[in-house]
Amino acid sequence: MSDSSRDTAQGAGWGSAEPGAYKQLMPPHVRKVSWLNPRTLWAARNGVLASWFGDPTGRTRGRWVARRQSAGVPADKVFRREVPDRFSFMVIGDTGEGGESQYAAVPGFLKTGQGTEFAVITSDVIYPVGSADDYADKFFRPYRDYPAPIYAIPGNHDWYEDLGAFMRVFCADTPPLDPAPRPRPLGRAWWQALLWHRPRPTDGQHLDEARKLRSAPDQQAEQPGPYWALDAGPVRLIGIDTGLLGTLDAEQGAWLREVSRGTRPKILITGSPLYVDGEHHPCPIDGGGTVDDIVRDPEHHYVAAIGGDIHNYQRYPVQVDGRTIQYIVSGGGGAFMHATHTIPRVSIGGVSERDFRCYPLRGDSLAFYSHLYARRLRLPRLGLSESEATAVIAERLGIEPGRAPGPDTRVTRRTRLVASLLGAGGRPDRTARVRLPVRKMYTQLFSPSSVTYTPPFFKSFLRLDVGAQELRVRCFAATGNRPQELDPPMEDEVVITLE
C-alpha cells in the first residue's frame, strides 16, 4: 500500500507528483459551483429563510413520506439486500460540486470500491441547490462505472429545492408534490413563501437522458424515502434526513426510535455529524430528546454514527457505558475542503487527542490554506511549507504531530503569525472564547472560497467490510495525483466488534 499523509509529505500529495487522470472523466463544460458568486448565494437562500421564518422541511418531508406510502412503501421504511456472509460497501459524503475536487476522488473510489455490494452518499448529493439538471454531471457521470447500487440521504443543499430532484432520482421517480396551501398575507409563513427558492418549471427535462449513464440492471436502486433502514447481512444501516437546519421532525424521531430497537448491530448514517470539530452536536428531535440519546441507548446496539456535511474526515471513539461507539465525519467526497487546522486540541466525551483522527492532518490543512491565500492576496510570505505548518500546529496544540516535520524546521515569528491569522486551533483552555467564532468563519466564509483546481485536494471516502463478528472501517484518501489514484492510501482504520 502506498504512503499515507501520516507517512510522508509525498503521501499527502505535496511535491511534484504526476497529476492524475481524473480530468479525463470530466465533461468538457461541467457546471462548476462558485461559492463567491452572488447568484449562487441567492439561489441557496432557503437555509437562511428557514432560520428566520421557521423550518418547513418537517411538513414537506411528511408529504413526501405519505406520497411514498400511498405507492406501497412499507410504513417501517425497512428494505433488505441479500449479501454474502462477508461483504463490503462504500460511504462517501458531500459529493456533488462537479469540479476537479469531485472528479479527483472518483478513480480511487472506483478502485477501492471493487467488489463492494453498494454505496451510500451521506449528504449533499448535488450542489448548490439540488437541481435535477445538475444530476447528469454531478452524479450519473462521475459514478457511471461504479457497478453497484448507490443509496443516499439528503443534505441541506438537496433540500434547497424542496427535495424534488432527490426523490425523483433515488425514490423511483416520485412525482412532484401538489402545491401547498397559500399562507395568510403578511405573516411569517407568507414572507417565507414569497422569498422561497423553487425549481424552474423546466428543471429535469434531461433527467431521463442522464439516467442512461447508470442504466445497468445491477446499478439500479430504489429506497423507501429520504430516510430509511437497510438490513444487509448482520447489520442494519439507518439513514436519517436532518433537513435544512440539522434537526429531526417528531414523526421521523418516532420512526428512528422504533427501527433502532432490537439486538442487530446498527450504523447510523446522518447528514449532520454528532461529533465534529471537537464539539458534540446531539441533533435535537422535535418534541424532545436527541438522535444521540437513541444512539447511546445500550438496548439499540449502535456501533457507529457516520455523518456528512463537514468536508473532511474525523473520528471520535466515544466510550458509552463500557462500550465504544465510533462517531465519524465523512464529508470529503467532492466539495471544497473544510479546514481541520481550526480544530483545537481534542478533549470531549472522554476522547483525547491521542484517540482522535482527522484527514487532512491539521498541518496539511494549514499549509493548504496558507498557499491558497498567499496566491490570492499576492503575499508570498503568507505561504507555509507543509513542514513549517506541521511544526507550528504541534507547538500551538502541544501534541505529537501526525507526521514529523523536517529535522531543520524551525517555528519562527512569521509561522506563528500566519497560523494565528489563519485561525489555527489551540489548547482548549486557551481557545474556549474564540473556538466557535473561528470555526464558523472558516465554515461559512473562508472554506467555501477554498475551491482550487490543482492537487492536492485532500478528498476521502470510506470502505466498510462486514463479517459475522466484526466491522472494519477504513478511510482512503484522494489527492488528485497519479500515485494516489493507482494505489489509494489508507489514512485511518478501526475494527469494531459486532455484539
mmCIF file of all heavy atoms in Angstrom, residues 330-365:
data_model
loop_
_atom_site.group_PDB
_atom_site.id
_atom_site.type_symbol
_atom_site.label_atom_id
_atom_site.label_comp_id
_atom_site.label_asym_id
_atom_site.label_seq_id
_atom_site.Cartn_x
_atom_site.Cartn_y
_atom_site.Cartn_z
ATOM 1 N N SER A 330 -17.594 11.928 7.556
ATOM 2 C CA SER A 330 -17.125 11.513 6.236
ATOM 3 C C SER A 330 -17.808 12.375 5.197
ATOM 4 O O SER A 330 -18.766 11.963 4.542
ATOM 5 C CB SER A 330 -17.424 10.029 5.987
ATOM 6 O OG SER A 330 -16.924 9.627 4.726
ATOM 7 N N GLY A 331 -17.292 13.599 5.032
ATOM 8 C CA GLY A 331 -17.865 14.531 4.078
ATOM 9 C C GLY A 331 -16.859 15.033 3.065
ATOM 10 O O GLY A 331 -17.059 16.089 2.474
ATOM 11 N N GLY A 332 -15.784 14.278 2.868
ATOM 12 C CA GLY A 332 -14.709 14.732 1.983
ATOM 13 C C GLY A 332 -14.787 14.170 0.581
ATOM 14 O O GLY A 332 -13.753 13.970 -0.053
ATOM 15 N N GLY A 333 -16.002 13.912 0.073
ATOM 16 C CA GLY A 333 -16.139 13.193 -1.175
ATOM 17 C C GLY A 333 -16.127 14.020 -2.435
ATOM 18 O O GLY A 333 -16.195 13.459 -3.529
ATOM 19 N N GLY A 334 -16.066 15.362 -2.340
ATOM 20 C CA GLY A 334 -16.050 16.082 -3.593
ATOM 21 C C GLY A 334 -16.220 17.581 -3.535
ATOM 22 O O GLY A 334 -15.991 18.265 -4.522
ATOM 23 N N ALA A 335 -16.632 18.132 -2.410
ATOM 24 C CA ALA A 335 -16.817 19.577 -2.310
ATOM 25 C C ALA A 335 -15.531 20.235 -1.814
ATOM 26 O O ALA A 335 -14.542 19.568 -1.521
ATOM 27 C CB ALA A 335 -17.976 19.896 -1.376
ATOM 28 N N PHE A 336 -15.563 21.576 -1.701
ATOM 29 C CA PHE A 336 -14.405 22.293 -1.172
ATOM 30 C C PHE A 336 -14.023 21.742 0.196
ATOM 31 O O PHE A 336 -14.841 21.165 0.907
ATOM 32 C CB PHE A 336 -14.706 23.787 -1.077
ATOM 33 C CG PHE A 336 -15.868 24.118 -0.177
ATOM 34 C CD1 PHE A 336 -15.706 24.238 1.196
ATOM 35 C CD2 PHE A 336 -17.138 24.325 -0.710
ATOM 36 C CE1 PHE A 336 -16.765 24.542 2.035
ATOM 37 C CE2 PHE A 336 -18.216 24.634 0.122
ATOM 38 C CZ PHE A 336 -18.026 24.745 1.495
ATOM 39 N N MET A 337 -12.777 21.919 0.585
ATOM 40 C CA MET A 337 -12.272 21.335 1.823
ATOM 41 C C MET A 337 -12.556 22.236 3.018
ATOM 42 O O MET A 337 -12.139 23.399 3.026
ATOM 43 C CB MET A 337 -10.762 21.093 1.722
ATOM 44 C CG MET A 337 -10.178 20.359 2.920
ATOM 45 S SD MET A 337 -8.380 20.364 2.888
ATOM 46 C CE MET A 337 -8.007 21.913 3.710
ATOM 47 N N HIS A 338 -13.226 21.700 4.025
ATOM 48 C CA HIS A 338 -13.326 22.396 5.297
ATOM 49 C C HIS A 338 -12.030 22.206 6.085
ATOM 50 O O HIS A 338 -11.486 21.098 6.147
ATOM 51 C CB HIS A 338 -14.500 21.861 6.120
ATOM 52 C CG HIS A 338 -15.816 22.481 5.757
ATOM 53 N ND1 HIS A 338 -16.957 21.742 5.546
ATOM 54 C CD2 HIS A 338 -16.171 23.777 5.570
ATOM 55 C CE1 HIS A 338 -17.962 22.558 5.243
ATOM 56 N NE2 HIS A 338 -17.505 23.788 5.259
ATOM 57 N N ALA A 339 -11.559 23.276 6.688
ATOM 58 C CA ALA A 339 -10.275 23.249 7.396
ATOM 59 C C ALA A 339 -10.314 22.292 8.576
ATOM 60 O O ALA A 339 -11.324 22.178 9.279
ATOM 61 C CB ALA A 339 -9.927 24.653 7.879
ATOM 62 N N THR A 340 -9.206 21.606 8.812
ATOM 63 C CA THR A 340 -9.029 20.869 10.063
ATOM 64 C C THR A 340 -8.081 21.591 11.014
ATOM 65 O O THR A 340 -8.051 21.292 12.205
ATOM 66 C CB THR A 340 -8.476 19.451 9.800
ATOM 67 O OG1 THR A 340 -7.223 19.551 9.107
ATOM 68 C CG2 THR A 340 -9.450 18.634 8.974
ATOM 69 N N HIS A 341 -7.309 22.554 10.492
ATOM 70 C CA HIS A 341 -6.329 23.213 11.370
ATOM 71 C C HIS A 341 -6.999 24.125 12.394
ATOM 72 O O HIS A 341 -6.344 24.580 13.331
ATOM 73 C CB HIS A 341 -5.296 23.992 10.544
ATOM 74 C CG HIS A 341 -5.835 25.185 9.832
ATOM 75 N ND1 HIS A 341 -6.260 25.135 8.522
ATOM 76 C CD2 HIS A 341 -6.021 26.480 10.231
ATOM 77 C CE1 HIS A 341 -6.679 26.326 8.155
ATOM 78 N NE2 HIS A 341 -6.542 27.157 9.175
ATOM 79 N N THR A 342 -8.289 24.407 12.233
ATOM 80 C CA THR A 342 -9.008 25.210 13.237
ATOM 81 C C THR A 342 -9.556 24.351 14.372
ATOM 82 O O THR A 342 -10.099 24.892 15.335
ATOM 83 C CB THR A 342 -10.165 25.963 12.570
ATOM 84 O OG1 THR A 342 -11.062 25.019 11.961
ATOM 85 C CG2 THR A 342 -9.661 26.928 11.508
ATOM 86 N N ILE A 343 -9.436 23.021 14.266
ATOM 87 C CA ILE A 343 -9.907 22.141 15.346
ATOM 88 C C ILE A 343 -8.932 22.246 16.515
ATOM 89 O O ILE A 343 -7.732 21.993 16.360
ATOM 90 C CB ILE A 343 -9.994 20.684 14.867
ATOM 91 C CG1 ILE A 343 -10.928 20.564 13.655
ATOM 92 C CG2 ILE A 343 -10.488 19.779 15.995
ATOM 93 C CD1 ILE A 343 -10.937 19.179 13.021
ATOM 94 N N PRO A 344 -9.406 22.616 17.700
ATOM 95 C CA PRO A 344 -8.497 22.704 18.846
ATOM 96 C C PRO A 344 -8.085 21.319 19.323
ATOM 97 O O PRO A 344 -8.594 20.299 18.839
ATOM 98 C CB PRO A 344 -9.341 23.436 19.899
ATOM 99 C CG PRO A 344 -10.745 23.059 19.557
ATOM 100 C CD PRO A 344 -10.800 22.948 18.059
ATOM 101 N N ARG A 345 -7.181 21.298 20.267
ATOM 102 C CA ARG A 345 -6.784 20.019 20.858
ATOM 103 C C ARG A 345 -8.020 19.347 21.423
ATOM 104 O O ARG A 345 -8.792 19.939 22.186
ATOM 105 C CB ARG A 345 -5.747 20.262 21.956
ATOM 106 C CG ARG A 345 -5.304 19.002 22.670
ATOM 107 C CD ARG A 345 -4.122 19.271 23.577
ATOM 108 N NE ARG A 345 -3.765 18.113 24.368
ATOM 109 C CZ ARG A 345 -2.624 17.979 25.009
ATOM 110 N NH1 ARG A 345 -1.724 18.951 24.945
ATOM 111 N NH2 ARG A 345 -2.362 16.903 25.710
ATOM 112 N N VAL A 346 -8.229 18.081 21.049
ATOM 113 C CA VAL A 346 -9.486 17.386 21.337
ATOM 114 C C VAL A 346 -9.491 16.851 22.760
ATOM 115 O O VAL A 346 -8.563 16.167 23.200
ATOM 116 C CB VAL A 346 -9.719 16.251 20.326
ATOM 117 C CG1 VAL A 346 -10.897 15.375 20.744
ATOM 118 C CG2 VAL A 346 -9.961 16.841 18.938
ATOM 119 N N SER A 347 -10.556 17.188 23.465
ATOM 120 C CA SER A 347 -10.820 16.636 24.790
ATOM 121 C C SER A 347 -12.320 16.733 25.020
ATOM 122 O O SER A 347 -12.822 17.713 25.557
ATOM 123 C CB SER A 347 -10.044 17.409 25.873
ATOM 124 O OG SER A 347 -10.332 16.891 27.160
ATOM 125 N N ILE A 348 -13.042 15.722 24.576
ATOM 126 C CA ILE A 348 -14.502 15.755 24.638
ATOM 127 C C ILE A 348 -15.042 14.331 24.664
ATOM 128 O O ILE A 348 -14.522 13.447 23.987
ATOM 129 C CB ILE A 348 -15.097 16.530 23.444
ATOM 130 C CG1 ILE A 348 -16.602 16.732 23.622
ATOM 131 C CG2 ILE A 348 -14.779 15.857 22.124
ATOM 132 C CD1 ILE A 348 -17.214 17.684 22.638
ATOM 133 N N GLY A 349 -16.066 14.110 25.470
ATOM 134 C CA GLY A 349 -16.708 12.804 25.520
ATOM 135 C C GLY A 349 -15.759 11.686 25.897
ATOM 136 O O GLY A 349 -15.971 10.532 25.490
ATOM 137 N N GLY A 350 -14.712 12.008 26.662
ATOM 138 C CA GLY A 350 -13.719 11.001 27.008
ATOM 139 C C GLY A 350 -12.714 10.731 25.910
ATOM 140 O O GLY A 350 -11.830 9.881 26.066
ATOM 141 N N VAL A 351 -12.824 11.455 24.784
ATOM 142 C CA VAL A 351 -11.894 11.273 23.665
ATOM 143 C C VAL A 351 -10.758 12.279 23.810
ATOM 144 O O VAL A 351 -10.995 13.487 23.884
ATOM 145 C CB VAL A 351 -12.606 11.475 22.317
ATOM 146 C CG1 VAL A 351 -11.619 11.303 21.165
ATOM 147 C CG2 VAL A 351 -13.768 10.505 22.174
ATOM 148 N N SER A 352 -9.546 11.795 23.841
ATOM 149 C CA SER A 352 -8.378 12.658 23.932
ATOM 150 C C SER A 352 -7.775 12.855 22.550
ATOM 151 O O SER A 352 -8.144 12.196 21.579
ATOM 152 C CB SER A 352 -7.334 12.045 24.863
ATOM 153 O OG SER A 352 -6.776 10.879 24.272
ATOM 154 N N GLU A 353 -6.821 13.751 22.471
ATOM 155 C CA GLU A 353 -6.128 13.993 21.214
ATOM 156 C C GLU A 353 -5.452 12.723 20.705
ATOM 157 O O GLU A 353 -5.369 12.487 19.489
ATOM 158 C CB GLU A 353 -5.088 15.103 21.393
ATOM 159 C CG GLU A 353 -4.340 15.494 20.147
ATOM 160 C CD GLU A 353 -5.234 16.126 19.085
ATOM 161 O OE1 GLU A 353 -6.178 16.847 19.459
ATOM 162 O OE2 GLU A 353 -4.968 15.903 17.889
ATOM 163 N N ARG A 354 -4.992 11.877 21.617
ATOM 164 C CA ARG A 354 -4.331 10.635 21.217
ATOM 165 C C ARG A 354 -5.293 9.701 20.490
ATOM 166 O O ARG A 354 -4.892 8.940 19.604
ATOM 167 C CB ARG A 354 -3.750 9.944 22.455
ATOM 168 C CG ARG A 354 -2.944 8.688 22.154
ATOM 169 C CD ARG A 354 -2.420 8.076 23.445
ATOM 170 N NE ARG A 354 -1.520 8.998 24.103
ATOM 171 C CZ ARG A 354 -0.224 9.091 23.853
ATOM 172 N NH1 ARG A 354 0.317 8.329 22.931
ATOM 173 N NH2 ARG A 354 0.532 9.930 24.520
ATOM 174 N N ASP A 355 -6.583 9.757 20.856
ATOM 175 C CA ASP A 355 -7.577 8.876 20.243
ATOM 176 C C ASP A 355 -8.157 9.449 18.952
ATOM 177 O O ASP A 355 -8.682 8.697 18.122
ATOM 178 C CB ASP A 355 -8.741 8.637 21.216
ATOM 179 C CG ASP A 355 -8.283 8.111 22.560
ATOM 180 O OD1 ASP A 355 -7.416 7.221 22.576
ATOM 181 O OD2 ASP A 355 -8.785 8.606 23.598
ATOM 182 N N PHE A 356 -8.131 10.756 18.797
ATOM 183 C CA PHE A 356 -8.777 11.451 17.688
ATOM 184 C C PHE A 356 -7.992 11.262 16.390
ATOM 185 O O PHE A 356 -6.767 11.211 16.389
ATOM 186 C CB PHE A 356 -8.866 12.939 18.042
ATOM 187 C CG PHE A 356 -9.279 13.840 16.914
ATOM 188 C CD1 PHE A 356 -10.576 13.805 16.425
ATOM 189 C CD2 PHE A 356 -8.375 14.730 16.340
ATOM 190 C CE1 PHE A 356 -10.961 14.647 15.386
ATOM 191 C CE2 PHE A 356 -8.748 15.582 15.313
ATOM 192 C CZ PHE A 356 -10.047 15.534 14.838
ATOM 193 N N ARG A 357 -8.724 11.164 15.276
ATOM 194 C CA ARG A 357 -8.103 11.104 13.962
ATOM 195 C C ARG A 357 -8.793 12.088 13.032
ATOM 196 O O ARG A 357 -10.011 12.288 13.115
ATOM 197 C CB ARG A 357 -8.216 9.698 13.357
ATOM 198 C CG ARG A 357 -7.417 8.637 14.076
ATOM 199 C CD ARG A 357 -5.914 8.852 13.890
ATOM 200 N NE ARG A 357 -5.130 7.792 14.514
ATOM 201 C CZ ARG A 357 -4.716 7.815 15.773
ATOM 202 N NH1 ARG A 357 -5.035 8.840 16.553
ATOM 203 N NH2 ARG A 357 -4.009 6.825 16.259
ATOM 204 N N CYS A 358 -8.014 12.682 12.131
ATOM 205 C CA CYS A 358 -8.615 13.536 11.106
ATOM 206 C C CYS A 358 -7.786 13.455 9.834
ATOM 207 O O CYS A 358 -6.607 13.093 9.845
ATOM 208 C CB CYS A 358 -8.758 14.983 11.582
ATOM 209 S SG CYS A 358 -7.204 15.897 11.772
ATOM 210 N N TYR A 359 -8.438 13.788 8.723
ATOM 211 C CA TYR A 359 -7.778 13.913 7.423
ATOM 212 C C TYR A 359 -8.463 15.055 6.685
ATOM 213 O O TYR A 359 -9.686 15.074 6.592
ATOM 214 C CB TYR A 359 -7.892 12.618 6.619
ATOM 215 C CG TYR A 359 -7.280 12.773 5.236
ATOM 216 C CD1 TYR A 359 -5.903 12.698 5.061
ATOM 217 C CD2 TYR A 359 -8.080 13.036 4.126
ATOM 218 C CE1 TYR A 359 -5.348 12.874 3.797
ATOM 219 C CE2 TYR A 359 -7.521 13.212 2.868
ATOM 220 C CZ TYR A 359 -6.159 13.131 2.712
ATOM 221 O OH TYR A 359 -5.600 13.312 1.483
ATOM 222 N N PRO A 360 -7.715 16.031 6.155
ATOM 223 C CA PRO A 360 -6.265 16.108 6.196
ATOM 224 C C PRO A 360 -5.742 16.371 7.608
ATOM 225 O O PRO A 360 -6.472 16.875 8.463
ATOM 226 C CB PRO A 360 -5.949 17.282 5.276
ATOM 227 C CG PRO A 360 -7.160 18.149 5.343
ATOM 228 C CD PRO A 360 -8.309 17.200 5.458
ATOM 229 N N LEU A 361 -4.476 16.017 7.825
ATOM 230 C CA LEU A 361 -3.826 16.405 9.071
ATOM 231 C C LEU A 361 -3.876 17.914 9.219
ATOM 232 O O LEU A 361 -3.891 18.651 8.242
ATOM 233 C CB LEU A 361 -2.379 15.928 9.084
ATOM 234 C CG LEU A 361 -2.157 14.412 9.023
ATOM 235 C CD1 LEU A 361 -0.666 14.110 8.913
ATOM 236 C CD2 LEU A 361 -2.775 13.711 10.229
ATOM 237 N N ARG A 362 -3.894 18.388 10.472
ATOM 238 C CA ARG A 362 -4.014 19.829 10.697
ATOM 239 C C ARG A 362 -2.900 20.615 10.012
ATOM 240 O O ARG A 362 -3.133 21.703 9.476
ATOM 241 C CB ARG A 362 -4.012 20.117 12.204
ATOM 242 C CG ARG A 362 -5.259 19.611 12.964
ATOM 243 C CD ARG A 362 -5.084 20.047 14.387
ATOM 244 N NE ARG A 362 -6.144 19.680 15.293
ATOM 245 C CZ ARG A 362 -6.134 18.601 16.074
ATOM 246 N NH1 ARG A 362 -5.119 17.742 15.987
ATOM 247 N NH2 ARG A 362 -7.118 18.376 16.930
ATOM 248 N N GLY A 363 -1.686 20.089 10.042
ATOM 249 C CA GLY A 363 -0.578 20.795 9.399
ATOM 250 C C GLY A 363 -0.776 20.918 7.903
ATOM 251 O O GLY A 363 -0.486 21.966 7.303
ATOM 252 N N ASP A 364 -1.279 19.857 7.265
ATOM 253 C CA ASP A 364 -1.540 19.918 5.832
ATOM 254 C C ASP A 364 -2.659 20.901 5.522
ATOM 255 O O ASP A 364 -2.620 21.606 4.509
ATOM 256 C CB ASP A 364 -1.897 18.530 5.300
ATOM 257 C CG ASP A 364 -0.700 17.590 5.269
ATOM 258 O OD1 ASP A 364 0.430 18.077 5.085
ATOM 259 O OD2 ASP A 364 -0.895 16.373 5.438
ATOM 260 N N SER A 365 -3.660 20.956 6.385
ATOM 261 C CA SER A 365 -4.750 21.915 6.205
ATOM 262 C C SER A 365 -4.221 23.350 6.292
ATOM 263 O O SER A 365 -4.553 24.202 5.449
ATOM 264 C CB SER A 365 -5.829 21.687 7.262
ATOM 265 O OG SER A 365 -6.814 22.693 7.250
#
